[in-house]
């Protein structure tokens, strides 16, 4: 999802030499393949948008896959970039790296000083390792080449639509869409609906990364949060999505299911100090996402 938003943005801006590899063409967990890619392509700028990514269900079921895959991918890619002529590399951390109970909104200085949420701990530890690798590379070399960013919950075109592995926003769109088609009288959702989450559109993540690839970062502190500054409760999100999808039934909550952390809002002052602002409101973003979703469903994905 984030990778495709980045490619769209670079094409819009008329970049002619954007090199993309799919998972099937280049397995980033394989060191020799990554080495070969860097030797043959010698990229100036790298956006490492590949990884094992998923929602609460996938994270709690497959923690081994999350930590193993992400550690391998990032070690291979960051190490190859370190040895090559790469001028800048963007690495994506995650808001689940922040400790439980961190003050809100969470600033980058609140990282690494408390306990992590249990359901996503394996993924979070791999992401912390990636951020620390970037910081260590920069520190030892006295450079600012490796830029770790922390987007909050991201959504948009090419989001994972699989209910087993997807994130909350895309899962809710699918649930309400299917309930509309089946004429169900109610949709039962996990948890109390009370936790608050901040959603950022993939296109806004891409525009922030684009800015970071060009800005003077010599006196800038890393990592860098990416968020809109506004959060919504899951119950409010559900009502917004029901409206966009046009489902007329009720929303019910299964409070026996886990809520996760009660709030995850990022302080995005660092990226805003460069003049960046998100362009996509949540309501518009959901509408555009649903348009894309309908096309995907029609083409049978
Ligand atoms: N989505 C979010 O809410 C969010 C928030 C914060 C940070 N991030 C981070 O941002 C990055 C991008 O996330 P995303 O949501 O855009 O993920 P995504 O849509 O799931 O895309 C990840 C891509 O990585 C590919 N991939 C997986 N294993 C690979 C391998 N071994 N070699 C090559 N490619 C591989 C996947 O291909 P297949 O599908 O074929 O496996 C997929 O195309 C990740 O690092 C994620 O942790 C995401």
């Amino acid at each position: 999802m984030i990778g495709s938003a980045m490619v769209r943005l670079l094409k819009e801006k008329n970049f002619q030499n954007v090199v993309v590899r799919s998972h099937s063409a280049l397995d980033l967990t394989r060191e020799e393949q990554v080495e070969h890619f860097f030797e043959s392509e010698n990229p100036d700028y790298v956006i490492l948008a590949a990884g094992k990514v998923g929602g609460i269900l996938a994270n709690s079921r497959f923690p081994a896959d999350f930590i193993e895959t992400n550690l391998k991918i990032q070690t291979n890619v960051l190490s190859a970039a370190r040895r090559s002529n790469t001028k800048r590399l963007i690495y994506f951390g995650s808001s689940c790296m922040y400790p439980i109970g961190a003050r809100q909104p969470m600033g980058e200085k609140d990282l690494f000083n408390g306990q992590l949420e249990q359901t996503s701990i394996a993924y979070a530890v791999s992401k912390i390792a990636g951020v620390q690798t970037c910081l260590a590379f920069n520190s030892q070399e006295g450079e600012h080449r490796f830029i770790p960013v922390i987007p909050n919950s991201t959504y948009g075109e090419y989001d994972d639509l699989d209910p087993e592995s997807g994130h909350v926003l895309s899962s809710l769109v699918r649930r309400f869409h299917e309930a509309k088609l089946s004429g169900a009288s109610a949709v039962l959702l996990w948890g109390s609906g009370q936790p608050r989450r901040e959603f950022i559109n993939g296109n806004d993540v891409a525009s922030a990364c684009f800015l970071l690839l060009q800005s003077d970062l010599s006196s800038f502190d890393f990592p860098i949060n990416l968020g809109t500054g506004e959060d919504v409760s899951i119950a409010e999100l559900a009502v917004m999505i029901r409206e966009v999808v046009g489902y007329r039934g009720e929303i019910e909550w299964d409070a026996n299911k886990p809520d996760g952390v009660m709030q995850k809002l990022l302080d995005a002052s660092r990226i805003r100090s460069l003049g960046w602002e998100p362009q996509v409101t949540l309501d518009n973003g959901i509408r555009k996402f649903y348009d894309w979703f309908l096309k995907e469903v029609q083409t049978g994905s």
Side-chain angles (χ1 to χ4, degrees), residues 67-264:
I67 194 162
E68 185 182 25
T69 306
N70 287 321
L71 284 175
K72 279 186 179 166
I73 289 177
Q74 67 207 30
T75 302
N76 290 340
V77 174
L78 292 169
S79 300
R82 184 184 178 202
R83 283 191 295 274
S84 78
N85 298 319
T86 300
K87 294 188 177 85
R88 286 193 184 176
L89 178 148
I90 301 271
Y91 173 78
F92 294 101
S94 161
S95 59
C96 66
M97 301 188 311
Y98 278 94
I100 313 171
R103 63 181 176 160
Q104 303 288 326
M106 303 181 289
E108 294 88 346
K109 288 194 165 60
D110 300 320
L111 283 162
F112 319 132
N113 63 3
Q115 267 198 332
L116 300 169
E117 216 267 313
Q118 273 306 309
T119 46
S120 55
I121 192 163
Y123 173 70
V125 166
S126 73
K127 291 282 154 189
I128 288 172
V131 169
Q132 288 293 356
T133 306
C134 292
L135 299 182
F137 283 8
N138 291 337
S139 160
Q140 192 169 319
E141 314 294 348
E143 292 173 340
H144 280 73
R145 283 204 291 156
F146 294 87
I147 308 171
V149 297
I150 308 175
N152 217 335
S153 302
T154 309
Y155 71 98
E157 289 170 53
Y158 298 96
D159 206 346
D160 184 357
L161 297 178
D162 183 337
E164 296 285 307
S165 53
H167 287 106
V168 58
L169 193 149
S170 60
S171 302
L172 289 183
V173 167
R174 182 178 274 278
R175 293 286 308 278
F176 283 118
H177 176 75
E178 288 174 353
K180 182 172 90 168
L181 293 189
S182 69
S185 58
V187 169
L188 180 66
L189 301 178
W190 270 35
S192 66
Q194 296 313 304
R196 300 187 71 79
R197 293 289 179 271
E198 177 186 30
F199 295 94
I200 178 166
N201 190 272
N203 293 332
D204 282 331
V205 171
S207 72
C209 294
F210 185 68
L211 182 62
L212 288 168
L213 291 175
Q214 309 170 82
S215 302
D216 176 6
L217 300 175
S218 48
S219 56
F220 219 73
D221 284 329
F222 295 159
I224 302 169
N225 283 340
L226 303 181
T228 61
E230 286 174 20
D231 59 3
V232 289
S233 72
I234 298 299
E236 288 163 344
L237 177 73
V239 169
M240 286 173 92
I241 294 177
R242 177 176 65 176
E243 176 72 24
V244 170
V245 170
Y247 171 64
R248 304 266 168 255
E250 299 296 318
I251 300 173
E252 293 170 358
W253 297 96
D254 180 357
N256 293 319
K257 293 287 194 302
D259 267 340
V261 177
M262 285 315 284
Q263 193 179 20
K264 280 209 253 184

Side-chain angles (χ1 to χ4, degrees), residues 274-287:
L274 290 174
W276 174 85
E277 280 187 18
Q279 301 297 317
V280 187
T281 64
L282 185 55
D283 187 56
N284 270 340
I286 294 171
R287 286 179 196 284

